[in-house]
Amino acid sequence: MTRVFNFSAGPAALPESVLRQAADEMLDWHGSGMSVMEMSHRGKEFISIHAECEALLRELLAVPANYKVLFMQGGAIGENAIVPMNMLRGRASADYVNTGEWSKKSIKEAGKYAKINVVASSEATKFDRVPPRDTWKLDPNAAYVHICANETIGGVEYHFTPDVGDVPLIADVSSNIMSRPLDVSKFGLLYGGAQKNIGPAGLTIVIVREDLLGGALPITPSAFNYAEQAANDSMLNTPPTYAIYIAGLVFRWIKERGGLTAMETHNRKKAAVLYDFLDATSFYNSPIQRADRSLMNVPFKLKDEALDAAFLKGAEERGMLQLKGHRAVGGMRASIYNAMPIEGVQALVAYMKEFEARHG
Ligand SMILES: *Cc1c(COP(=O)(O)O)cnc(C)c1O
């Protein structure tokens, strides 16, 4: 068996020990005689898996008691509609900050349900930064302020939590949740798909302050109504049971390694290996302003894009996969979530140096 260094943006690499445990437990989970996939979501075995997953998430992220944790389906793209349906709460408009491709999708979808004000944008500088907070033109009557905490495609990440006064702050944290500690109390709602930094595709995590529940638009489907899901322990419909089980194993893996503070140290070290190299060469370059560079998704360009195909081919031959940048921005992208070991980033930089020596 050969495991590659998988730089995919999502679905992404998972810790090998988690995959091994899942394999060991595949046919018979803890003497139940069943795979987790075969269990009733209302049986005592799965209820315990679900409860442990939520408890670990709450512990690792220090989620305050007045927040509900929901395990839903529909992905972050689903949430682009589900958020306004639930969070307008009788108000007419919401404020959105545009930092790239995922922000744009959120803005477009939310526009089906409300008047959306784009209160700041870095489009004029090709989404190379987070617009400084003091340039945002916020509306104090907005239902909420929406940000994309980490632009998975463009590689721009918030390294601060913006103060937006009394208006609830909502963040798409699909690609940086669990990568470092986060002060949940500064947000009204956090959401994200699991398949970047938590587990398999199919699970969507929503963390929402209780007092914001109950004001959903009447057209909101029950499966996507936060208050109804909260009242039913996320079991109004069948939850993505296997994905919840794997997420729980990943949370245990994070806890065993020292929690989110340790994850942050590990992630900063990895990102520094790559960014320090990018800053020291003119053969490759990072298009993102230093202060706003993502620790999770590192886009970079070769000086001569005619060499892109050869670069990718050589990487693949060395067991480094999925380095092609998103079609919206081109170039390369290395996604280095929690499960990527530092050896993977070191191998990538060694290859980049070798390629530069040959073609530079
Ligand atoms: C991947 C991603 C999405 C889309 O998630 P789906 O699960 O495909 O709906 C949205 N936002 C961000 C920031 C992402 O990284």
Side-chain angles (χ1 to χ4, degrees):
M1 182 198 71
T2 320
R3 298 265 304 159
V4 296
F5 287 128
N6 175 5
F7 292 93
S8 170
L14 288 169
E16 195 172 310
S17 62
V18 165
L19 297 175
R20 286 185 189 283
Q21 184 174 348
D24 285 347
E25 296 177 345
M26 179 60 74
L27 298 182
D28 178 6
W29 183 83
H30 295 202
S32 65
M34 286 179 276
S35 171
V36 174
M37 272 183 261
E38 303 169 305
M39 289 175 182
S40 163
H41 59 298
R42 305 206 184 276
K44 67 176 187 322
E45 292 93 349
F46 184 73
I47 300 264
S48 75
I49 290 169
H50 188 274
E52 185 187 351
C53 182
E54 179 177 340
L56 283 167
L57 175 62
R58 283 186 173 276
E59 180 186 340
L60 290 166
L61 261 181
V63 178
N66 62 325
Y67 283 69
K68 294 287 188 194
V69 171
L70 308 177
F71 293 144
M72 299 179 59
Q73 299 184 48
I77 289 181
E79 292 301 320
N80 284 341
I82 298 165
V83 163
M85 277 194 242
N86 282 273
M87 288 292 130
L88 283 168
R89 303 168 357 269
R91 294 175 192 250
S93 72
D95 287 352
Y96 278 65
V97 178
N98 184 7
T99 47
E101 299 304 316
W102 288 117
S103 296
K104 284 198 280 185
K105 281 199 209 296
S106 297
I107 290 163
K108 188 166 174 221
E109 186 75 0
K112 295 178 182 172
Y113 304 94
K115 181 176 177 314
I116 301 305
N117 295 315
V118 178
V119 295
S121 171
S122 52
E123 190 154 20
T125 54
K126 297 195 176 134
F127 299 120
D128 67 342
R129 68 193 70 189
V130 174
R133 168 64 191 88
D134 59 9
T135 64
W136 299 11
K137 299 195 168 58
L138 296 176
D139 171 4
N141 295 313
Y144 57 84
V145 180
H146 180 283
I147 62 170
C148 178
N150 183 61
E151 287 280 358
T152 321
I153 294 172
V156 166
E157 182 171 12
Y158 283 75
H159 295 287
F160 64 100
T161 301
D163 181 353
V164 295
D166 293 333
V167 177
L169 179 62
I170 295 184
D172 176 353
V173 290
S174 294
S175 51
N176 67 349
I177 186 171
M178 312 311 277
S179 67
R180 53 191 166 104
L182 184 68
D183 184 352
V184 175
S185 74
K186 294 208 167 105
F187 295 85
L189 185 145
L190 297 161
Y191 68 90
Q195 73 272 23
K196 312 300 171 48
N197 207 21
I198 291 180
L203 168 63
T204 311
I205 290 177
V206 174
I207 302 172
V208 56
R209 214 173 68 210
E210 272 169 1
D211 64 286
L212 300 173
L213 296 176
L217 297 179
I219 59 157
T220 308
S222 299
F224 298 142
N225 183 306
Y226 296 144
E228 287 187 49
Q229 283 288 13
N232 287 279
D233 279 334
S234 305
M235 296 227 194
L236 192 99
N237 57 337
T238 310
T241 52
Y242 199 76
I244 291 169
Y245 157 69
I246 299 289
L249 297 184
V250 170
F251 294 154
R252 221 188 277 165
W253 175 84
I254 294 173
K255 187 175 167 178
E256 283 161 5
R257 291 171 63 106
L260 298 188
T261 310
M263 284 297 129
E264 174 167 17
T265 305
H266 161 70
N267 288 324
R268 283 194 186 281
K269 235 185 250 168
K270 286 185 300 182
V273 169
L274 198 40
Y275 285 119
D276 287 351
F277 173 65
L278 289 169
D279 288 340
T281 161
S282 55
F283 186 80
Y284 307 93
N285 80 289
S286 158
I288 308 305
Q289 299 279 312
R290 285 183 198 204
D292 302 323
R293 285 172 173 175
S294 171
L295 297 181
M296 297 282 99
N297 310 97
V298 183
F300 61 91
K301 296 210 161 156
L302 277 64
K303 199 170 55 181
D304 177 4
E305 67 179 55
L307 292 171
D308 283 4
F311 179 87
L312 289 166
K313 185 164 172 282
E316 205 163 316
E317 284 162 8
R318 288 159 181 78
M320 290 178 275
L321 266 51
Q322 310 262 22
L323 283 162
K324 194 174 162 60
H326 191 274
R327 60 190 181 280
V329 295
M332 305 297 149
R333 172 179 50 174
S335 294
I336 51 173
Y337 301 114
N338 288 350
M340 172 61 67
I342 192 153
E343 291 77 13
V345 182
Q346 287 162 339
L348 173 60
V349 169
Y351 168 61
M352 289 168 77
K353 286 179 181 163
E354 178 196 329
F355 189 86
E356 177 177 349
R358 208 155 1 104
H359 299 275

